[in-house]
Amino acid sequence: MVKPNLKVKIGGLELKNPVTVASGTFGSGEEYKKLVDLNKLGAIVTKSVTLKPREGNPPPRVVETPSGMLNSIGLQNDGIDAFIKDKIPFLNKVKTAVIVSIAAHRIEDYAAIARKLDKIKGVDAIEINISCPNVKGGLEFAREPDSAAAVVRAVRAVSKKPLITKLSPNVKDITEIAMAAEEAGSDAVSLVNTFTGMAIDIGAKRPILGNIVGGLSGPAIKPIALRMVWETAKKVKIPVIGMGGIMDHEDALEFIIAGASAIQVGTANFVNPGAAVEIIGGIERYMRQEKIKNIKELTGCLKT
Ligand code: RRO
């Protein structure tokens, strides 16, 4: 059998395969260059960047739970100008799509960051993070269709890059937010960001995280994320990028069969930096076994 075709399209952007690494779990890629052949990845999604530098939340910022991980990083980053100066030169050398995640508290700040990125060669798409659970107001734009749409419209007005809107699971109906993002001009939606949760040190009778609450990711959230991806993919015409506890190629295939055009590997990178590359190999093996020539045949092929 000829090599299966794993190429997928996200708006105008073609990815060599559907396996990408999730924002906040892979730095800006350079940190992983000695561990992983970055050129094999479908895309690198960088840690969310804000207009001005941010120190992030007080430690501890990460805690392991029996089936997942809680984080409360609090959007630590050096700000967009330092990102462009320090990170883009390396990212320009990688033969992988680069998706820059952006976050803000004000609509005009989202637009200001996107305007700066619009001029930068080597930024292939923007992921609009409206769903950070760990900073005050970080989730505000993700909660209502109108506010999500307002952010997307403001970014769309200043950017020609493909736009992906990253959605929160901490909402009443994620499909409504996805449809609003589509209507406002988003080229894709990615879901889900982390679920708000907490952990307590029973000896000290204190929260373990410095910020008390954090975002839960990992295998614990996979069935819920999968259900949300399935529901969303039925409601929008734009590509859905699925994530939430994908640890191996079988998890990735579940998301693709549920309706995801591409997937993001997040928490698994902390356990095994090679996870995403292994997942690409696993998907290819499955396609050969099942005699599937094109990954597009798999997206949303769920029989119900
Ligand atoms: O930085 C964080 O604490 C963080 C962000 Br921006 C996000 O979108 N999701 C998450 O779990 N943590």
Side-chain angles (χ1 to χ4, degrees):
M1 187 183 162
V2 290
K3 196 175 156 54
N5 183 352
L6 269 76
K7 289 189 188 126
V8 295
K9 271 192 110 178
I10 305 295
L13 173 65
E14 187 175 79
L15 307 183
K16 63 178 91 171
N17 65 64
V19 181
T20 72
V21 287
S23 177
T25 68
F26 216 73
S28 59
E30 188 160 11
E31 298 87 333
Y32 280 74
K33 71 180 177 196
K34 292 204 177 107
L35 302 168
V36 184
D37 183 354
L38 300 173
N39 295 334
K40 291 208 165 126
L41 299 171
I44 295 171
V45 188
T46 57
K47 169 73 185 162
S48 296
V49 62
T50 51
L51 193 56
K52 298 277 177 259
R54 288 182 56 98
E55 279 189 3
N57 288 338
R61 290 170 162 189
V62 176
V63 49
E64 239 180 283
T65 75
S67 56
M69 186 181 104
L70 279 165
N71 87 82
S72 187
I73 308 302
L75 258 176
Q76 184 193 338
N77 78 97
D78 295 338
I80 186 64
D81 292 333
F83 176 85
I84 290 170
K85 184 168 146 289
D86 301 335
K87 312 290 186 194
I88 291 289
F90 173 79
L91 288 167
N92 264 331
K93 284 188 256 166
V94 183
K95 293 186 193 68
T96 301
V98 173
I99 301 173
V100 176
S101 169
I102 67 171
H105 282 87
R106 301 186 316 170
I107 291 180
E108 54 267 40
D109 290 356
Y110 277 105
I113 307 167
R115 199 178 289 113
K116 284 176 189 265
L117 287 172
D118 200 48
K119 300 187 198 82
I120 310 291
K121 200 177 99 321
V123 174
D124 296 298
I126 293 174
E127 185 175 73
I128 310 171
N129 185 1
I130 55 171
S131 48
C132 175
N134 297 329
V135 296
K136 207 161 169 280
L139 268 171
E140 198 188 308
F141 295 116
R143 289 222 200 261
E144 296 297 332
D146 287 353
S147 49
V151 175
V152 176
R153 262 197 305 275
V155 175
R156 180 79 292 164
V158 298
S159 179
K160 288 183 203 63
K161 309 261 187 207
L163 302 180
I164 302 160
T165 307
K166 183 159 179 182
L167 308 180
S168 172
N170 305 297
V171 296
K172 207 167 58 203
D173 181 356
I174 199 167
T175 69
E176 281 187 0
I177 316 294
M179 288 189 289
E182 176 178 43
E183 175 73 29
S186 196
D187 297 290
V189 284
S190 56
L191 60 149
V192 296
N193 206 319
T194 51
F195 288 73
T196 47
M198 67 190 291
I200 292 173
D201 175 339
I202 57 167
K205 301 184 184 64
R206 285 183 180 280
I208 298 178
L209 288 169
N211 193 45
I212 306 177
V213 295
L216 181 67
S217 60
I221 72 166
K222 197 194 86 179
I224 320 175
L226 192 59
R227 188 262 300 168
M228 289 181 168
V229 164
W230 175 66
E231 285 178 348
T232 302
K234 287 190 293 183
K235 294 274 182 74
V236 295
K237 291 187 194 70
I238 53 178
V240 172
I241 302 173
M243 84 197 85
I246 296 178
M247 304 303 283
D248 57 26
H249 75 278
E250 294 182 350
D251 293 336
L253 285 162
E254 283 191 69
F255 276 84
I256 292 168
I257 292 167
S261 297
I263 59 102
Q264 294 186 3
V265 179
T267 307
N269 297 319
F270 296 110
V271 183
N272 169 16
V277 171
E278 288 169 21
I279 288 171
I280 300 164
I283 293 175
E284 209 175 300
R285 275 197 312 281
Y286 171 85
M287 288 175 69
R288 285 181 197 277
Q289 272 160 22
E290 299 282 317
K291 301 200 175 18
I292 295 164
K293 293 197 193 77
N294 194 316
I295 188 84
K296 294 189 187 93
E297 294 167 45
L298 270 178
T299 292
C301 75
L302 185 73
K303 300 172 190 160
T304 53

